[in-house]
């Protein structure tokens, strides 16, 4: 599978950037994971909105869903131009009914609630879930295809259950919203030490730090995380691709 980072800022997009959005492709199937602010604009450097086959959402904070409305508009308008493409499935949890309801729009997109206790099949991907520690219901995802695994934390403070959930992943796409000297627990986020510890204990093959802070020197997050994890660590970067 091929992962392309579309946006990686935590909270809001920095100038000319995008907040959370990750394109995962396998066997020609395009799955967008989260759809934050700026993602629709950035995505068009890689594929057209109508080429998406599914979207899956970790939770309903704006930096993860802000561009759902404009994605719906894009598919509506392209549909007026005589292009035909199927209703786009938007997978999200249904523990916030008001937000979940917005995922369905005409016959353009259809909200489909995932059961966090079951494995979900989306195209070639098998997705399992773990509830995270965050102010609103949020789910981490373990996505498998063709014997390879991507684990995406969504937003969360550190939790021990991550170790089993992330075991042996080829890619750990881990939120890292804080530096070592900061405690993200009350905000529901991890710092660089948490991310490194998770990666080390779960024995993942590489660690990508994302949901990055707007201040300080993000490269410092790598040196801090490397005190815990001895494998490959990268900072998420726009249009960066990782093949596994
Ligand atoms: Zn959040």
């Amino acid at each position: 599978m091929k992962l392309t980072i579309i946006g990686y800022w935590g909270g809001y997009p920095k100038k000319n950037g995008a907040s959370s959005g990750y394109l995962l492709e396998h066997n020609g199937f395009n799955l967008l994971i989260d759809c934050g602010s700026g993602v629709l604009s950035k995505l068009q450097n890689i594929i057209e909105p109508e080429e998406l086959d599914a979207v899956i959402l970790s939770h309903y904070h704006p930096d993860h869903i802000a561009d759902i409305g404009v994605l719906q508009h894009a598919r509506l308008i392209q549909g007026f131009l005589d292009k035909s493409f199927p209703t786009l499935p938007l997978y999200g949890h249904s523990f916030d009914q008001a937000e979940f309801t917005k995922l369905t729009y005409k016959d353009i997109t259809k909200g489909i609630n995932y059961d966090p206790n079951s494995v979900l099949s989306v195209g070639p991907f098998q997705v399992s879930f773990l509830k995270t520690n965050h102010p609103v219901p949020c789910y981490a995802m373990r996505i498998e295809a063709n014997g390879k695994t991507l684990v995406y934390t969504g937003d969360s403070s550190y939790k021990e259950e991550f170790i089993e959930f992330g075991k042996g992943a080829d890619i750990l796409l881990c939120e890292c919203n804080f530096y070592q000297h900061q405690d993200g627990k009350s905000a529901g986020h991890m710092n660089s030490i948490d991310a490194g510890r998770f990666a080390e204990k779960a024995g993942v093959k590489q660690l990508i730090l994302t949901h990055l802070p707007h201040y300080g020197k993000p490269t410092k997050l790598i040196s801090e995380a490397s005190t815990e994890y001895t494998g490959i660590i990268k900072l998420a970067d726009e249009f960066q691709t990782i093949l596994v």
Side-chain angles (χ1 to χ4, degrees):
M1 38 191 194
K2 181 182 181 184
L3 172 70
T4 304
I5 310 288
I6 307 296
Y8 56 84
W9 292 108
Y12 68 95
K14 207 166 176 176
K15 185 167 62 183
N16 299 321
S19 60
S20 294
Y22 311 96
L23 181 64
L24 189 64
E25 190 265 327
H26 183 62
N27 280 352
F29 190 97
N30 291 310
L31 172 67
L32 180 66
I33 306 166
D34 284 344
C35 187
S37 179
V39 166
L40 188 76
S41 172
K42 297 286 180 189
L43 177 73
Q44 291 168 75
N45 290 283
I46 312 291
I47 59 168
E48 297 301 325
E50 56 271 28
E51 291 176 292
L52 282 176
D53 296 297
V55 178
I56 192 163
L57 303 169
S58 60
H59 68 304
Y60 299 113
H61 274 155
D63 52 326
H64 295 254
I65 59 154
D67 275 11
I68 289 292
V70 286
L71 168 61
Q72 291 164 332
H73 281 177
R75 302 225 358 162
L76 177 71
I77 290 162
Q78 289 302 319
F80 292 154
L81 304 174
D82 271 352
K83 291 186 190 167
S84 80
F85 34 84
T87 300
L88 180 69
L90 303 186
Y91 294 90
H93 69 67
S94 55
F95 302 110
D96 182 334
Q97 270 300 327
E99 291 293 345
F100 177 71
T101 302
K102 290 186 211 162
L103 301 183
T104 298
Y105 176 64
K106 302 178 187 280
D107 60 351
I108 303 298
T109 61
K110 181 170 171 46
I112 301 174
N113 68 308
Y114 54 71
D115 171 7
N117 298 313
S118 302
V119 176
L120 173 73
S121 285
V122 182
F125 303 110
Q126 302 293 306
V127 188
S128 41
F129 301 92
L130 179 72
K131 192 168 196 295
T132 72
N133 293 336
H134 203 55
V136 298
C138 177
Y139 291 88
M141 302 168 202
R142 182 181 175 100
I143 305 179
E144 303 183 41
N146 202 26
K148 300 291 182 184
T149 303
L150 163 74
V151 169
Y152 168 53
T153 58
D155 285 4
S156 187
S157 60
Y158 183 81
K159 59 189 291 178
E160 280 301 320
E161 293 89 334
F162 272 147
I163 311 307
E164 192 55 39
F165 187 72
K167 210 94 207 158
D170 295 279
I171 305 170
L172 171 58
L173 183 58
C174 187
E175 78 118 282
C176 184
N177 207 213
F178 289 103
Y179 292 91
Q180 177 171 8
H181 66 279
Q182 300 170 297
D183 184 355
K185 208 168 203 141
S186 60
H189 289 295
M190 281 184 266
N191 68 17
S192 49
I193 299 300
D194 296 326
R197 190 165 297 155
F198 175 6
E200 182 67 24
K201 286 190 175 179
V204 305
K205 303 210 172 58
Q206 62 175 311
L207 170 63
I208 317 277
L209 302 175
T210 192
H211 204 279
L212 300 178
H214 303 76
Y215 49 86
K217 279 204 173 64
T219 49
K220 208 171 156 213
L221 298 170
I222 295 183
S223 51
E224 292 172 353
S226 68
T227 62
E228 296 285 331
Y229 174 63
T230 51
I232 303 162
I233 309 176
K234 294 173 187 158
L235 282 183
D237 199 7
E238 193 173 285
F239 307 137
Q240 175 186 25
T241 60
I242 300 114
L243 271 173
V244 290

